[in-house]
């Protein structure tokens, strides 16, 4: 029976003032694209793992060359990663996961690593089924990070499988907190989290680009316009996080009666600004569910 979930947000450690966490002695990555590289860089920067006890695999040298520069071991053999790691991140494309796991050999000598999947749309039950040929009663975590993890400002949400323990949750939270905030959530929320936080950076990049274009149209030089747009988004996000105020209240505090901002807000409403963002979250969530339905 899985331990009761702790859904509190984590930022640099476990909630409740616990000072120490148990990190895996050895870490492995099957697949080492952009997300794997971002996570690995953060783990090493925070000193959570030993590069000499970390190994990554990929079919080509292109990504292996990048992670090799971090001081970790590399291989083309996924089985080597599974054999030598206490915790294995599965970081391959969704359509490649099944054949990759099918090629893994059964593990011997009671070796049973914790598998953490960042693969979009693949459920815990499917992961447990696919990994059951590799190890009995596989311990599996399904994780949803996003690209700002590369700069330590990510959102990393995860759900645990039926065989995981409290120690597994602790190790997962400790590692994922290195790339931003982390939270354990029930699996049924993962697709929605993908629609909001997983795909969300793209929506915000588009907003920053559009704001900068507006500044250029109104006479600002491009570099200044882009810096102002990005800093405005960062500042507004920090206000929400640090004040605890509802975004609507903060918006109202900027809108003076008959002023420039309320006129701009009216223009956004006429052009379905909020509806567009809500529809984007919905579309991404539904696509995540579709990917999960394809086996």
């Amino acid at each position: 029976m899985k331990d009761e979930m702790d859904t509190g947000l984590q930022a640099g450690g476990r909630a409740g003032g616990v000072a120490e966490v148990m990190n895996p002695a050895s870490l492995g990555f099957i697949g080492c694209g952009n997300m794997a590289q971002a996570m690995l860089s953060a783990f090493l920067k925070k000193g959570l793992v030993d590069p000499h006890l970390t190994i990554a695999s990929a079919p080509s040298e292109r990504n292996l060359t990048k992670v090799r520069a971090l001081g970790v071991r590399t291989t083309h053999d996924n089985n080597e990663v599974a054999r030598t790691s206490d915790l294995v991140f599965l970081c391959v494309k969704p359509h490649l996961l099944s054949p990759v796991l099918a090629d893994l050999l059964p593990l011997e000598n009671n070796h049973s690593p914790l598998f953490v999947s960042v693969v979009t749309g693949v459920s815990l039950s499917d992961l447990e089924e696919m990994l059951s040929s590799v190890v009995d009663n596989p311990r599996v975590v399904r994780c949803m990070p996003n690209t700002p993890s590369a700069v330590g400002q990510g959102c990393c949400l995860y759900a645990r499988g039926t065989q995981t323990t409290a120690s597994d949750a602790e190790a997962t939270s400790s590692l994922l907190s290195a790339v931003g905030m982390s939270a354990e959530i029930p699996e049924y929320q993962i697709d929605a989290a993908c629609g909001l936080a997983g795909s969300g950076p793209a929506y915000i990049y588009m907003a920053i680009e559009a704001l900068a274009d507006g500044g250029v149209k109104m006479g600002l030089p491009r570099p200044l316009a882009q810096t102002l747009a990005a800093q405005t988004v960062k500042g507004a996000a920090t206000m929400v996080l640090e004040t605890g105020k509802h975004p609507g209240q903060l918006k109202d505090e900027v809108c003076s009666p008959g002023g420039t901002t309320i006129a701009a807000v009216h223009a956004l409403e006429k052009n379905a600004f909020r509806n567009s963002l809500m529809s984007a979250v919905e579309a991404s969530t539904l696509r995540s569910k579709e990917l999960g339905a394809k086996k």
Side-chain angles (χ1 to χ4, degrees):
M1 189 86 176
K2 188 174 71 174
D3 301 274
E4 184 178 350
M5 285 188 173
D6 173 12
T7 56
L9 303 187
Q10 313 294 318
R14 192 179 169 201
V18 177
E20 296 182 357
V21 292
M22 182 177 295
N23 293 316
S26 55
L27 188 69
F29 286 82
I30 294 179
C32 52
N34 291 336
M35 184 56 67
Q37 292 171 37
M39 297 173 75
L40 178 55
S41 296
F43 299 160
L44 293 171
K45 184 177 181 180
K46 293 290 181 72
L48 294 175
V49 295
D50 184 339
H52 302 295
L53 297 176
T54 303
I55 185 170
S57 65
S60 70
E61 281 293 312
R62 181 170 57 90
N63 287 328
L64 290 183
T65 300
K66 297 177 183 178
V67 298
R68 198 176 292 130
L70 299 174
V72 306
R73 295 178 294 125
T74 61
T75 180
H76 295 295
D77 183 2
N78 295 332
N79 281 289
E80 183 180 358
V81 175
R83 280 196 310 269
T84 61
S85 304
D86 295 322
L87 188 153
V88 177
F89 279 95
L90 303 173
C91 302
V92 300
K93 301 291 186 183
H95 68 282
L96 295 176
L97 181 65
S98 181
V100 163
L101 296 186
D103 286 341
L104 292 181
L105 299 174
L107 294 173
E108 301 176 350
N109 300 321
N110 295 319
H111 180 52
S112 180
L114 173 65
F115 290 91
V116 179
S117 170
V118 301
V119 183
T120 300
V122 182
S123 69
L124 286 167
S125 61
D126 286 343
L127 288 164
E128 290 174 340
E129 181 180 352
M130 286 187 282
L131 285 164
S132 62
S133 62
V134 180
V135 62
D136 292 334
N137 301 316
R139 292 152 48 232
V140 179
V141 171
R142 182 180 174 189
C143 170
M144 201 295 302
N146 63 5
T147 56
S149 299
V151 293
Q153 295 296 318
C155 299
C156 295
L157 306 170
Y158 64 94
R160 287 192 278 153
T162 58
Q163 303 299 320
T164 56
T165 66
S167 294
D168 292 333
E170 188 174 346
T172 301
S173 178
S174 174
L175 286 171
L176 297 183
S177 294
V179 296
M181 59 77 65
S182 71
E184 182 178 354
I185 60 176
E187 187 182 21
Y188 75 86
Q189 295 178 356
I190 286 281
D191 291 316
C194 174
L196 175 56
S199 301
Y203 319 152
I204 304 306
Y205 299 145
M206 292 177 68
I208 291 171
E209 181 183 35
L211 287 169
D213 285 346
V216 171
K217 181 179 180 181
M218 294 295 101
L220 293 176
R222 171 69 64 182
L224 177 60
Q226 183 165 306
T227 298
L228 288 174
Q231 181 60 40
T232 298
V233 170
K234 180 181 179 181
T238 302
M239 286 285 288
V240 172
L241 292 172
E242 293 193 359
T243 67
K245 293 181 179 180
H246 190 281
Q249 180 182 349
L250 291 169
K251 179 262 296 177
D252 288 348
E253 290 175 0
V254 186
C255 294
S256 302
T260 58
T261 306
I262 192 63
V265 167
H266 186 204
L268 290 173
E269 294 287 9
K270 286 192 292 186
N271 287 281
F273 178 69
R274 285 193 280 194
N275 179 68
S276 295
L277 289 175
M278 292 172 68
S279 296
V281 173
E282 180 182 46
S284 177
T285 300
L286 294 177
R287 179 55 178 159
S288 180
K289 292 179 183 292
E290 289 175 4
L291 290 172
K294 295 179 180 179
K295 298 182 181 179

